[in-house]
Amino acid sequence: MVLYSVILPTYNERENLPLIVYFLDKTFNNAKLAYEIVVVDDSSPDGTLEVAKSLQSAFGESHITIVSRKGKLGLGSAYSAGLAKSKGGRIILMDADLSHHPKFIPEMVKVMDQNKVDIVSGTRYSKGGGVAGWDWKRKLTSRGANFLATFLLNPGASDLTGSFRLYERSAIEKILPKVRSIGYAFQMEILVHAKKENMKIGEVPITFVDRIYGESKLGASEIVLYLKGLLQLFFTT
């Protein structure tokens, strides 16, 4: 049986982590899929690490692995650290803040199995997908960022900035060391490298739900980083 490793980078997700772990456990058990969750915490000041340890005691070390890092070291290195500790043949990258609901995972698995793709991307921008809880400014920002990336790079996917994806382990291990972008451009660069490597990408429509607990990490500085990353990829790939 294939083991699915879910890598959850966390920073101040004390309230959200128990909920996402519960939903993941329920989803995998109902679908009769083997799973592990790798929590990568960057020294969250809100006590996320202590919550993760409690969940590990409740669900067992076979289901929850914890990587505790000193300082806020970034999303890309969090994925790399989680991947190094994971054991699964397939890897799921998703947010821990409940914006990505695990209920879409079985459909992702189905698409990967039936279509023999290397990556399945959850998309907000195809029929059946969408967002909930965003104001018009956030929607406009997201749509604009996605349109620019599609126009300039055309990596063959409808949602370039989304981070809810299922990977064959061989695919993410090949791509991740090549990614240099930080922030929201990180997800976009993954798909650019996937296209260069002639990897096959499938899609599953998802509904992205704005976080209930905690604060969004999207701000002006993240938008600037995204635009810089987009232009760098345009001129170098």
Side-chain angles (χ1 to χ4, degrees), residues 93-232:
L93 304 185
M94 62 188 299
D95 294 345
D97 62 3
L98 301 176
S99 57
H100 299 147
H101 200 293
K103 68 181 180 181
F104 298 107
I105 290 174
E107 184 61 25
M108 290 177 158
V109 171
K110 181 179 178 182
V111 168
M112 180 165 280
D113 286 340
Q114 291 185 347
N115 299 343
K116 308 300 180 185
V117 295
D118 302 290
I119 302 170
V120 180
S121 180
T123 175
R124 298 160 289 181
Y125 302 126
S126 67
K127 185 177 180 181
V131 298
W134 282 4
D135 59 22
W136 68 270
K137 291 181 182 178
R138 181 77 185 272
K139 289 180 179 179
L140 184 62
T141 299
S142 179
R143 280 283 189 180
N146 202 66
F147 172 79
L148 278 175
T150 301
F151 179 74
L152 293 176
L153 303 174
N154 189 28
S158 63
D159 193 341
L160 307 186
T161 57
S163 56
F164 191 8
R165 295 176 187 155
L166 167 64
Y167 298 85
E168 291 285 7
R169 186 181 191 94
S170 58
I172 192 64
E173 284 183 332
K174 190 170 188 178
I175 294 171
L176 204 54
K178 300 178 181 181
V179 179
R180 296 291 177 263
S181 299
I182 57 177
Y184 288 86
F186 183 90
Q187 308 297 345
M188 173 177 60
E189 187 176 350
I190 286 179
L191 294 185
V192 170
H193 286 297
K195 182 181 180 182
K196 289 179 68 176
E197 297 291 340
N198 294 316
M199 293 181 181
K200 296 179 180 179
I201 302 172
E203 293 189 326
V204 167
I206 64 165
T207 301
F208 180 99
V209 181
D210 199 17
R211 63 166 56 239
I212 298 173
Y213 299 108
E215 297 180 357
S216 172
K217 298 169 180 68
L218 176 65
S221 59
E222 284 75 18
I223 294 173
V224 171
L225 280 174
Y226 172 82
L227 292 174
K228 286 182 177 179
L230 175 58
L231 291 174
Q232 183 176 6

